[in-house]
Amino acid sequence: EIDVDALEEPLGDVAEQLSDLLGWIGVPPSDAVPPPLGSETTLDTRWEPGEGTAFTADVPSGLYGNYWWGKADNVYDYEQGRWRTDPAGSQLVVEAEGELQPSDEATAGGSNRVQATITIGDSSFARANLFRPPEAVSSATHDLRARVTPGRGVSDLEYLAPLEEGTAVSVLAFVRDYRPGSEELTGNALRATADLAYPAWVEEHYLDGRDDPVVVGPLTQATAERISGETGTTPYDWAVQVQAELRDMTYNTDIDGRCDEYSGVFTECLLAIREGFCQQYATTMVMLMRAMDVPARFVTGYLPGDVDEEGRLRVEQAALHNWAEVYFPDFGWIRFDPTPGLRFGQQSTSLLDGEPLRPEPSPSPEPEPGEEPLEPEEPIDEVIVPPEPSEPPAGGGVSVAMFVSLGALAGILVAVVS
C-alpha cells in the first residue's frame, strides 16, 4: 500500500524543479516564477521557444542595436552541461536610484546614456530578473539584489520580490552604438588594441579551458589555428571571422542525441555537425576565441525585440538568447552574435573600419617612362653686404656720395651672383 501523504511533499519538490528546468529551456511554467539567473546557466540540446511577452520597453533610438543583458558566465563545465560564474562575486542589495557600479570601461568607445522603461509582460521570466541594456547605472523604481565583482561591474540583477504583470521598471544604462554604419565604435579602433595587455582579472577568469584538450578538441584547435593564421593579425579580425563562419551554418532547435559521440562537448559537436541553436553557437565562439588566447564570455539575455504599433519594443519570450562577448583593452566587452538567422532584431556585429590605425605616408611622384629623375639643384648661398649708413643732405636731395655707395653695392651683387 502506498502512503500518498508521505509522497506528496517529495513529489511537490520534483514538480517544482521540473517546472524550473522547463522554464529555463524555453517552456514557461503556468504560474511558477523561475529562479533568479544566479551563477549557473543550464545547457541542453533541444530548445522549445516559450510563448507570451517577456516585457515591452520604451527606449530612444531603438536601443542603438543593443541586446537585453541578463548575465555573463566564464566557466564551461561540459561534464555538468552548464556554464557557471567562478568566482560568483559578492551579493549586495542596491536601493532604487542607487549606483549599480558599471565596469571600468563602461563609457569607452562612444557609449551613450539610455533611460529605458520596461513593463513586465505576461511571461514569467522577466518577473524575477532585471533584463536591461548592458552596463546598468541605476534603477529608479525598484530595489535590486546585484552580483558584483570588482573591476568587472554588475552581473545578474534580481528583484527582491517577483514583479506582477504590468509593473513598470525604469533603468539608466550605458550602451554602445552597434547600428550598421555607426562611426562611434570602429573596427580599426578595436584593431589598435592588439598590442595592449589584458588586465590580470581578465586573464585569470576569461581564458578558462583554453588548455583543456576535451573542450578545445582537434576540430576546435584546428579551426582556431586556421583562422588566426589566415585572417588578419588582431583579435578583432579573428572575432569577425569566427562570427561569420558560424553564422554560415544551420539553425536547428533540436540536436538531441547528436552530440553524444563528442562527450556532450558543444565546441567539437557543432563544428562537426554544423547545426544547433544559440547555446551551441555562443559556447563554440567563446572557446574558439580562448583557443586563440583572446578572453571571451558566454552571455544570457534577450534579443532587442520588434517595434509594435505604439513605437515600443515588444520582447517575446521566444527571444531569450545566448551570445558571446569578446574583451578588448580600453574598450571592455564587445558583443558578437554567431547564431544563424535574423529574428527579433538579432544582428551580427559589423563595424565600419573608421580612421586608419596610422596615417599613410604621401608617395613621391614617379618619373615618366624614359625620363631621368630630376636631380635637386645645389642651393645658392647669397651674401648681401648692406651699405654704410649716411645722413641725407638738408632739403632731402640725393648726394653724390649716395650714388657712389649704390653703385658699389650693385657691383658687389653682380659679383656674388655670377
Side-chain angles (χ1 to χ4, degrees):
E1 183 176 346
I2 299 175
D3 185 348
V4 177
D5 292 335
L7 288 175
E8 183 175 354
E9 184 174 346
L11 287 176
D13 293 340
V14 171
E16 183 177 352
Q17 293 173 10
L18 179 61
S19 177
D20 291 343
L21 175 61
L22 289 175
W24 285 120
I25 63 172
V27 182
S30 56
D31 298 317
V33 177
L37 290 173
S39 59
E40 296 181 0
T41 301
T42 302
L43 304 176
D44 208 337
T45 53
R46 184 184 288 121
W47 166 251
E48 295 288 344
E51 298 179 354
T53 300
F55 53 89
T56 58
D58 293 301
V59 293
S61 303
L63 200 64
Y64 301 98
N66 282 256
Y67 288 14
W68 297 99
W69 206 91
K71 60 168 293 191
D73 294 306
N74 69 301
V75 177
Y76 177 36
D77 186 350
Y78 70 93
E79 293 180 317
Q80 298 296 321
R82 65 184 181 180
W83 275 92
R84 58 185 172 83
T85 302
D86 184 28
S90 60
Q91 291 276 354
L92 59 90
V93 173
V94 181
E95 296 180 353
E97 300 185 358
E99 174 65 41
L100 288 174
Q101 299 184 24
S103 70
D104 296 340
E105 302 92 350
T107 58
S111 295
N112 305 276
R113 290 170 68 91
V114 165
Q115 187 80 46
T117 301
I118 302 162
T119 304
I120 305 301
D122 54 9
S123 170
S124 61
F125 280 85
R127 291 174 56 192
N129 305 278
L130 174 58
F131 291 94
R132 73 280 184 188
E135 302 292 8
V137 178
S138 66
S139 171
T141 53
H142 288 76
D143 296 344
L144 300 164
R145 182 175 290 109
R147 190 182 310 278
V148 180
T149 306
R152 288 183 277 171
V154 172
S155 182
D156 53 296
L157 290 168
E158 63 180 276
Y159 303 112
L160 298 188
L163 304 184
E164 298 297 327
E165 179 182 348
T167 304
V169 181
S170 179
V171 62
L172 178 66
F174 291 115
V175 299
R176 303 186 193 279
D177 193 345
Y178 282 108
R179 292 172 297 181
S182 170
E183 297 181 356
E184 291 191 353
L185 181 67
T186 67
N188 280 337
L190 297 181
R191 289 186 180 99
T193 68
D195 296 329
L196 301 181
Y198 295 117
W201 61 267
V202 172
E203 289 194 331
E204 181 180 357
H205 297 293
Y206 293 97
L207 290 171
D208 184 83
R210 63 175 167 174
D211 298 321
D212 188 330
V214 177
V215 177
V216 182
L219 278 175
T220 308
Q221 187 65 45
T223 303
E225 290 176 355
R226 173 179 58 79
I227 289 175
S228 61
E230 298 176 356
T231 307
T233 58
T234 72
Y236 172 73
D237 297 305
W238 304 337
V240 170
Q241 184 64 23
V242 169
Q243 177 183 245
E245 292 193 13
L246 295 182
R247 289 182 70 88
D248 198 38
M249 297 181 183
T250 302
Y251 183 77
N252 188 347
T253 58
D254 188 354
I255 58 169
D256 194 39
R258 299 183 63 187
C259 288
D260 293 349
E261 62 179 292
Y262 302 98
S263 302
V265 179
F266 283 173
T267 49
E268 290 292 284
C269 178
L270 179 67
L271 293 173
I273 68 174
R274 300 178 66 82
E275 293 184 24
F277 53 93
C278 61
Q279 289 188 342
Q280 291 83 42
Y281 284 101
T283 298
T284 301
M285 179 161 188
V286 170
M287 296 315 303
L288 278 171
M289 297 308 300
R290 292 183 180 184
M292 293 183 276
D293 295 325
V294 180
R297 65 185 185 183
F298 179 92
V299 185
T300 299
Y302 282 94
L303 293 167
D306 299 318
V307 180
D308 65 14
E309 62 279 0
E310 298 180 19
R312 299 172 304 180
L313 285 173
R314 182 171 295 276
V315 182
E316 302 298 329
Q317 176 55 32
L320 193 64
H321 193 52
N322 296 111
W323 61 91
E325 289 182 347
V326 178
Y327 188 88
F328 294 86
D330 289 349
F331 287 88
W333 298 103
I334 303 297
R335 187 196 74 224
F336 291 88
D337 189 344
T339 302
L342 296 172
R343 59 195 190 117
F344 304 119
Q346 179 188 4
Q347 63 183 30
S348 59
T349 295
S350 179
L351 306 176
L352 294 175
D353 279 345
E355 295 295 324
L357 300 183
R358 58 185 62 85
E360 296 292 335
S362 300
S364 301
E366 295 291 333
E368 293 294 329
E371 285 188 3
E372 292 294 327
L374 296 176
E375 295 292 335
E377 295 183 0
E378 291 293 331
I380 299 174
D381 296 327
E382 296 187 10
V383 178
I384 299 176
V385 180
E388 293 292 329
S390 60
E391 294 292 331
V398 178
S399 66
V400 174
M402 182 175 292
F403 276 108
V404 173
S405 298
L406 289 175
L409 174 61
I412 294 172
L413 289 175
V414 170
V416 170
V417 172
S418 60

